[in-house]
Amino acid sequence: MSLIVVGSMAFDAIETPFGKSDRIIGGAATYIAWSASNFTKPIKQISVVGYDFPKEELKELEARGVHMDGVQIKMDEKSFFWSGKYHMDMNTRDTIDTQLNVLANFQPVVPESYQDCEFLMLGNLVPAVQLDVIRQLKKRPKLIVMDTMNFWMEVALDDLKKVLAEVDVLMVNDSEARELSNEYSLVKAARKIMEMGPKYLIIKKGEHGALLFHEENVFFAPALPLEDVFDPTGAGDTFAGGFIGHIARTKDISFENMKTGIIIGSAMASFCVEKFGTERLKEITRQDIDDRLQRFQELVSFEIELV
Ligand code: AMP
């Protein structure tokens, strides 16, 4: 009964209109694990880092119930490095640099203790590695969720399509959905993407919330209007962690429960953006999460009489 999380663990350098960070800890699997560990344990992490990745960061995650048997430490290579710059609206960003380093030749090994997992979260990573992990599992998990990004659409589209054919839920942002489908309308894009494999599609729209598609059904979760957004980096991964953490906790993979999952994902993402990197995620308590979920409920509940 557990969740496997696969993804990058990284150093990031971020520039926003409000500030600039030096190399700080980031990576898709880092954010997912911090977020999901509020809801479910153990989390079985699969990733790779270099000699320069601080051991304390791994220890802090271990203390949250994140197992590190599947995280390789390459003593002669550097960790993955990504740098990005946000535009004034904070919804769009440019990737300034992507240095794959340890990710370039990463061959994941799924430890025996990870077999029999019920849920698999494939965070943003080389598509061939995502596929390799699926193939190494002796039993198919109950639900496979995948995140990816435009970078992989541009450099590894064929592999990406192979992974898509194997997963249940895909998460991408709106521009990635358009790029993958060649459709501007998100409804048409969703239809095309669901034909590529995933039965469910989640399209993240930054400060405009997220859409969940399944067959002819659509559900919308808002994002919380926040007074200050410092750094949106990792918001998508934190959303993914909240979503899969909730699904793994409840073990319910119905569309109805996924609706709750995207509300929880949105609530978690709203914390992430309040400070740089993982800082805010490390501070929050169960009570903070509950209070925020309450605010989400108030944000969207209304009564109406049909005219
Ligand atoms: P998000 O803001 O949720 O899209 O995720 C940002 C995180 O993704 C950062 O912490 C980066 O380290 C990580 N990242 C950026 N580019 C890649 C990539 N090509 N593959 C894997 N992880 C990446």
Side-chain angles (χ1 to χ4, degrees), residues 111-139:
E112 198 49 42
S113 59
Y114 283 29
Q115 293 291 349
D116 266 346
C117 81
E118 279 185 298
F119 300 95
L120 174 60
M121 177 70 229
L122 297 169
N124 191 10
L125 196 69
V126 190
V129 172
Q130 295 177 316
L131 195 62
D132 194 347
V133 171
I134 298 177
R135 298 267 154 86
Q136 285 184 50
L137 292 175
K138 294 176 191 151
K139 200 171 120 212

Side-chain angles (χ1 to χ4, degrees), residues 193-220:
I193 293 171
M194 287 190 288
E195 280 166 13
M196 297 177 187
K199 295 182 284 300
Y200 301 84
L201 174 68
I202 295 170
I203 300 183
K204 299 168 287 181
K205 302 181 73 198
E207 68 169 328
H208 305 298
L211 293 161
L212 167 66
F213 292 89
H214 173 55
E215 294 170 348
E216 295 306 313
N217 305 311
V218 196
F219 177 72
F220 171 69

